[in-house]
Amino acid sequence: MDLSYTDEESAFQSEVRNFLAEKLSKQMSEKVRLGGDLTKADMDEWHSILNDKGWLAQNWPKAFGGAEWDAVQRHIYEEEAALANAPRIVPFGLSMLAPVLHKFGSKEQCDRWLPRILSGEDWWCQGYSEPGAGSDLASLKTRAVREGDHYIVNGQKTWTTLGQHANMIFCLVRTDVDVKQQEGISFLLIDMDTPGIEVRPIVLLDGGAEVNEVWFTDVKVPVANLVGEENKGWTYAKYLLTHERTNIAGVGFSNAGLQAVKRIAKSELSAGIPLIENPHFAARIAQVEIDLMAMSLSNLRIVSQAAKGGAPGLEASMLKVKGSIIRQEINDLARRAVGPYALPFASEAIEGANEAPFGPEYAAPVAAEYFNNRKLSIFGGSNEVQRQIIAKTTLGAMR
Amino acid sequence: MNFELTEERQMLQDTLRRFLADKYDVPTRNAILESESGMSAEIWSQLAELGIQGALFDEAQGGFGGAGFDIAVVFEELGRAGIVEPILETCIFGGGLIAALGNEAQKGLLESIIDGNTKIALAHSEPRSRYDLSRVETQYEDGKIKGHKSMAMGAPNADFVIISVRESGGNDDQNGISLFLVPAPDLDMRTTAVMGGGMAADIYLDGLSVSDDKRLGPKGSAFLYLETVFAKAITAICAQTLGGMETATKLTIDYLQTRKQFGKPIGTFQALQHRLSDMLIELEQARSAVIGAAGYLDADTHLRDRYVSAAKNLVGRAARLIAEEAIQMHGGIAMTQEYELAHIAKRVVMADHMFGDTDHHLERFIALSAV
Ligand SMILES: Cc1cc2nc3c(=O)[nH]c(=O)nc-3n(C[C@H](O)[C@H](O)[C@H](O)COP(=O)(O)OP(=O)(O)OC[C@H]3O[C@@H](n4cnc5c(N)ncnc54)[C@H](O)[C@@H]3O)c2cc1C
Ligand SMILES: Cc1cc2nc3c(=O)[nH]c(=O)nc-3n(C[C@H](O)[C@H](O)[C@H](O)COP(=O)(O)OP(=O)(O)OC[C@H]3O[C@@H](n4cnc5c(N)ncnc54)[C@H](O)[C@@H]3O)c2cc1C
């Protein structure tokens, strides 16, 4: 074992740093730092900057035009990008759909859809959850009935993140109602401009509108948009979920978040001294930092292992649970650190810094982020579901 | 010992609970939250008609209550319904300070507070004071107030604002703090909605002329009165948070019984059952902490403050746990703004940012315990 970076890894780290210093505009990083909501144009712009450098499709195989980074490279990028306040990479096309297409899609599908993900021509969203099918995803009801060269889709998806920007949605739909739930599900690619699709925004508790309901009424989808085989969608969906989970440790975000907490605690005064010198608060910061240091190594360890072929199963669930708890704890610290100025509920805290912030500028987003990031332990397989996986994997099937 | 509410308080509780259940439903509250003023004038006067403001004052002040348990009963119900109107600011801070310190003319306001015709706010905290009660840098000199008051809750809707100023001593001396009762329209305010409901303002005092007769109480000795009124305010907000936690817990129980996944109610999963049990256990702890604070509110200040700080610390911890667990056990639905739990969760968590947070009161408790 050796915990230091190799020469190549150090060189890569410098390259990432230089790239971010050169290509990430001050305007964009300020928006991210102040918790502003990025527009579609902002996200497209950042994607295209990364794509020009060949760094957009970080974990795609080289054969599909990806960078095929290893775990350490991904870790380095994630850490540097978060510290530089770079926008996050929107995962739906790049790290959710693409791996499914690589593994299960036809050649035509790969040729057609993958380049459009890279170019930004298509913006994908994830149509898994339904009002009645959350943790119990396999109970989904959105129905697709085959008629000639088309499927006719009826039903409703919900919690569709950034669906308002999307022109494409990958969906799990029910194609057979007469078999065991898991065996009647198919994986369909649907053009959001097809007649019969309606997108309705859901306002979340922090005032932001990042999720949507998507309604389907007699929507015609070409059979060519079926991925893999009919009724095998559950297998593909589970494959995708493992990918969703490895990214969800969010070590980079936690590092950046912890730095931000320390900056706030240096500016805030408690009983006349900087909050960071208050032993009680310093202990709170230290406690999270200790957890995060270990988490960061766990993440590297597990992702490296996965790259060597060990499928991340129970370990991916562990990363998801611990990673989300640490991020939420950091959000809680930021809220505490700010004190009374965490109270203002201003739309500008969400829409970006148009008006002068109320109180110190770092105060504006912290309470909203604290509440918004409660989602981290709910989506992508809730933490209860993950714990269930960990225990079942360990204990085996018992009666 | 006797843990029963008196008949009068029982009636007060029943009346208020029924009124709010009837008149302050979720769509009503969501409309209030989205309104310009962030409060309902109609609800305000109806509360006065029910005698809610009056229940927070004793007979000498023109009310019919005013003790710790009156405060606890009223605010628990207000919290249960998640009401956002500035009762605490007006009655506990405003009315409390005027009753304790006002001259005859100023005390004339008490009647109109109780009748629901006047609203008051306290502008005490400052950008650098955080939660320190004695840190006042705003100056009063030659008839002019100079300084910056931050996050004055209720100020945007108030008719009068009580402003604390320093007239002598160092920045955080307890001696040398005075209060002035100033008509709100005289003030330069920047207003904001508050996460979890209500309105607040930063107040910019750029040499505002205020005559000496606007002074509330004697010169330089307001601190003790501020401590007393903050003890009441902390009891009130703890009771309000207790009520909110009761609602969060009730919503969670209902949801666990009705939401089905994997073909059965999610309440059948033991992973969730145990966590609901922990919520209920913490809720009872919080109830006792509030009873402790309310019961010792008129005791000697050392005993009072130990119970008050203990309550604020415990309730702060319980509120975070209950809000987070309630959201978690609801899944995505709890994240939506229009769902009742979202408002309640924000309200109980953000209460930690008022009148000293969990850590502040832990440190205060340690200091009080060392003596
Ligand atoms: C902000 C946000 C963004 C999202 N984005 C997307 C998206 O883009 N696309 C998409 O398809 N979905 C998305 N989701 C949906 C997300 O995946 C679901 O919310 C999640 O699967 C949980 O489902 P649910 O909300 O219906 O909760 P439920 O499944 O109803 O769960 C309620 C509670 O019960 C618990 N529970 C359920 N089953 C068990 C069990 N067997 N044992 C113990 N506890 C259990 C859960 O952990 C939870 O605490 C998003 C959700 C949120 C909040
Ligand atoms: C110091 C001591 C003094 C005691 N004194 C007395 C006494 O005076 N009189 C007397 O009658 N007994 C006494 N007991 C026994 C005590 O009541 C039992 O230990 C207790 O009931 C647990 O039973 P068990 O030890 O067989 O553990 P088990 O019941 O086998 O439990 C093992 C573990 O499984 C958990 N578990 C069991 N069922 C469930 C479930 N349905 N859901 C979730 N978790 C579950 C338990 O919580 C525990 O963690 C004493 C025990 C101790 C240790």
Side-chain angles (χ1 to χ4, degrees):
Chain A
M1 284 208 201
D2 181 0
L3 299 185
S4 53
Y5 286 146
T6 63
D7 290 347
E8 296 85 69
E9 285 162 352
S10 297
F12 179 73
Q13 185 180 37
S14 311
E15 195 187 354
V16 172
R17 260 184 213 167
N18 293 338
F19 168 79
L20 290 166
E22 196 187 324
K23 298 290 184 185
L24 177 63
S25 71
K26 181 86 186 144
Q27 192 198 359
M28 188 90 87
S29 64
E30 279 299 276
K31 208 166 175 180
V32 172
R33 186 172 70 85
L34 298 175
D37 231 4
L38 296 176
T39 61
K40 178 173 189 292
D42 291 332
M43 293 184 261
D44 281 338
E45 184 189 328
W46 183 239
H47 277 202
S48 121
I49 289 170
L50 285 171
N51 192 37
D52 288 346
K53 174 83 180 164
W55 283 3
L56 183 58
Q58 305 178 347
N59 46 357
W60 292 15
K62 292 228 166 79
F64 291 105
E68 209 175 317
W69 282 351
D70 64 17
V72 176
Q73 287 176 302
R74 267 190 270 164
H75 175 83
I76 289 171
Y77 176 84
E78 207 192 312
E79 183 158 284
E80 296 297 330
L83 287 176
N85 294 302
R88 67 165 199 159
I89 296 175
V90 183
F92 306 107
L94 283 157
S95 45
M96 294 188 186
L97 176 63
V100 171
L101 289 181
H102 294 156
K103 195 159 166 83
F104 305 106
S106 65
K107 168 131 186 9
E108 294 71 43
Q109 285 171 336
C110 287
D111 289 347
R112 169 142 190 230
W113 301 112
L114 295 176
R116 295 164 63 98
I117 293 175
L118 293 180
S119 69
E121 221 170 319
D122 288 335
W123 181 300
W124 288 89
C125 61
Q126 179 187 23
Y128 275 25
S129 305
E130 298 180 4
S135 299
D136 184 11
L137 186 58
S139 70
L140 61 94
K141 291 202 167 66
T142 297
R143 188 84 168 88
V145 178
R146 178 138 180 196
E147 281 179 17
D149 292 343
H150 286 86
Y151 287 102
I152 307 297
V153 179
N154 280 286
Q156 186 203 341
K157 295 293 173 182
T158 192
W159 310 122
T160 320
T161 300
L162 300 183
Q164 69 269 37
H165 299 327
N167 65 316
M168 293 296 299
I169 181 169
F170 54 90
C171 282
L172 293 182
V173 294
R174 185 154 301 287
T175 35
D176 191 340
V177 290
D178 298 324
V179 289
K180 205 176 142 230
Q181 277 182 346
Q182 286 80 351
E183 288 160 15
I185 293 170
S186 299
F187 196 106
L188 271 191
L189 311 178
I190 304 180
D191 185 336
M192 303 273 284
D193 290 331
T194 321
I197 297 184
E198 196 193 336
V199 178
R200 299 181 197 161
I202 302 174
V203 179
L204 291 187
L205 81 178
D206 63 339
E210 67 190 54
V211 299
N212 303 272
E213 297 178 326
V214 183
W215 298 73
F216 300 85
T217 315
D218 294 329
V219 174
K220 274 180 83 174
V221 181
V223 169
N225 285 12
L226 173 74
V227 175
E229 289 175 49
E230 197 176 86
N231 296 329
K232 289 276 162 59
W234 188 246
T235 314
Y236 315 149
K238 285 210 302 199
Y239 180 78
L240 183 160
L241 282 177
T242 355
H243 275 262
E244 191 180 348
R245 276 173 207 151
T246 40
N247 295 336
I248 219 154
V251 172
F253 294 117
S254 286
N255 271 322
L258 194 63
Q259 299 301 327
V261 169
K262 287 181 181 175
R263 274 197 301 275
I264 295 172
K266 275 183 194 146
S267 314
E268 286 288 319
L269 297 177
S270 168
I273 62 161
L275 184 61
I276 199 154
E277 291 170 28
N278 173 308
H280 200 103
F281 201 79
R284 282 187 185 272
I285 293 181
Q287 208 67 87
V288 180
E289 188 161 5
I290 288 167
D291 285 347
L292 179 56
M293 282 159 62
M295 170 78 208
S296 177
L297 285 176
S298 302
N299 189 50
L300 275 165
R301 241 174 358 103
I302 292 165
V303 180
S304 312
Q305 198 62 39
K308 289 195 191 119
L314 145 159
E315 290 85 0
S317 294
M318 290 179 173
L319 288 178
K320 157 86 203 314
V321 173
K322 199 67 200 178
S324 59
I325 290 173
I326 290 175
R327 271 180 80 182
Q328 290 173 336
E329 196 58 37
I330 290 169
N331 288 137
D332 182 70
L333 280 188
R335 170 175 75 71
R336 281 174 202 284
V338 161
Y341 272 129
L343 286 164
F345 178 56
S347 51
E348 68 250 30
I350 298 149
E351 286 159 10
N354 306 327
E355 222 182 298
F358 212 92
E361 60 165 20
Y362 54 70
V366 294
E369 274 173 16
Y370 164 83
F371 286 108
N372 184 276
N373 272 346
R374 299 316 306 169
K375 72 188 176 192
L376 297 177
S377 48
I378 296 172
F379 65 20
S382 74
N383 281 13
E384 289 70 40
V385 168
Q386 306 296 347
R387 288 188 177 98
Q388 216 64 43
I389 293 171
I390 296 168
K392 270 201 186 139
T393 313
T394 307
L395 297 168
M398 293 181 300
R399 304 206 145 258
Chain B
M1 282 207 186
N2 172 7
F3 289 106
E4 301 295 312
L5 286 178
T6 60
E7 215 169 292
E8 291 79 17
R9 291 192 181 119
Q10 185 72 58
M11 260 173 59
L12 177 67
Q13 184 181 58
D14 291 347
T15 315
L16 184 53
R17 188 179 299 184
R18 234 177 300 122
F19 169 75
L20 292 173
D22 192 32
K23 288 283 161 58
Y24 212 83
D25 61 8
V26 177
T28 305
R29 185 181 54 232
N30 286 347
I32 293 171
L33 284 170
E34 275 170 27
S35 67
E36 184 99 3
S37 68
M39 67 164 286
S40 158
E42 195 187 334
I43 294 285
W44 188 265
S45 44
Q46 287 171 339
L47 288 171
E49 277 164 37
L50 286 179
I52 301 310
Q53 283 88 327
L56 299 170
F57 294 89
D58 66 25
E59 274 168 39
Q61 297 158 350
F64 57 90
F69 290 118
D70 299 303
I71 294 175
V73 163
V74 166
F75 281 93
E76 184 180 348
E77 293 315 313
L78 298 179
R80 188 188 310 280
I83 97 147
V84 299
E85 279 65 20
I87 297 272
L88 192 157
E89 293 83 344
T90 293
C91 298
I92 305 293
F93 281 135
L97 288 168
I98 290 169
L101 293 168
N103 56 33
E104 280 318 302
Q106 289 165 331
K107 278 189 180 159
L109 281 174
L110 291 177
E111 191 182 334
S112 81
I113 290 174
I114 291 171
D115 290 345
N117 294 320
T118 296
K119 292 187 285 299
I120 317 264
L122 170 65
H124 179 56
S125 66
E126 300 179 1
R128 289 158 56 85
S129 69
R130 199 173 174 86
Y131 301 122
D132 305 343
L133 215 49
S134 65
R135 188 170 296 268
V136 175
E137 298 180 10
T138 297
Q139 300 285 332
Y140 181 68
E141 259 171 357
D142 305 329
K144 289 186 168 36
I145 301 181
K146 254 193 136 125
H148 176 185
K149 291 293 179 182
S150 59
M151 294 310 291
M153 295 290 303
N157 286 306
D159 302 293
F160 294 88
V161 178
I162 298 171
I163 298 173
S164 59
V165 297
R166 175 156 302 286
E167 296 201 79
S168 64
N171 282 342
D172 63 345
D173 278 357
Q174 297 186 353
N175 285 325
I177 300 170
S178 311
L179 302 175
F180 282 88
L181 179 64
V182 181
D186 294 356
L187 299 171
D188 176 13
M189 289 192 202
R190 180 170 172 212
T191 68
T192 177
V194 169
M195 178 78 86
M199 302 289 286
D202 268 22
I203 301 176
Y204 305 97
L205 299 148
D206 193 16
L208 177 77
S209 291
V210 177
S211 56
D212 210 52
D213 62 346
K214 298 273 168 40
R215 195 187 288 282
L216 185 64
K219 184 173 173 174
S221 53
F223 183 76
L224 275 183
Y225 298 94
L226 282 168
E227 266 200 325
T228 301
V229 79
F230 266 88
K232 287 188 184 171
I234 291 168
T235 305
I237 203 164
C238 287
Q240 176 185 298
T241 303
L242 172 66
M245 291 192 285
E246 281 164 351
T247 300
T249 307
K250 182 182 178 301
L251 288 168
T252 305
I253 294 168
D254 292 346
Y255 201 72
L256 290 177
Q257 288 172 329
T258 49
R259 169 69 170 173
K260 285 193 175 156
Q261 288 289 274
F262 305 98
K264 43 191 164 189
I266 58 174
T268 57
F269 302 131
Q270 199 178 53
L272 304 189
Q273 289 172 347
H274 286 192
R275 290 159 63 174
L276 172 67
S277 307
D278 286 343
M279 286 171 71
L280 292 164
I281 292 166
E282 290 308 316
L283 192 57
E284 285 316 304
Q285 284 285 87
R287 188 185 316 284
S288 293
V290 168
I291 290 171
Y296 289 108
L297 209 42
D298 293 324
D300 76 81
T301 57
H302 183 258
L303 187 61
R304 174 196 75 188
D305 290 344
R306 260 171 64 85
Y307 271 93
V308 163
S309 279
K312 193 70 169 64
N313 173 271
L314 188 146
V315 168
R317 287 184 285 130
R320 179 185 174 201
L321 177 107
I322 288 178
E324 291 182 357
E325 290 289 61
I327 291 174
Q328 183 66 25
M329 290 198 266
H330 274 79
I333 193 77
M335 299 282 301
T336 57
Q337 186 169 53
E338 63 171 32
Y339 185 59
E340 183 171 17
L341 178 61
H343 170 70
I344 297 288
K346 285 189 276 186
R347 202 157 173 76
V348 302
V349 169
M350 296 318 286
D352 201 37
H353 295 256
M354 296 173 197
F355 325 147
D357 68 3
T358 323
D359 289 355
H360 173 87
H361 283 284
L362 183 70
E363 285 165 7
R364 186 164 180 252
F365 185 87
I366 293 170
L368 288 163
S369 306
V371 211

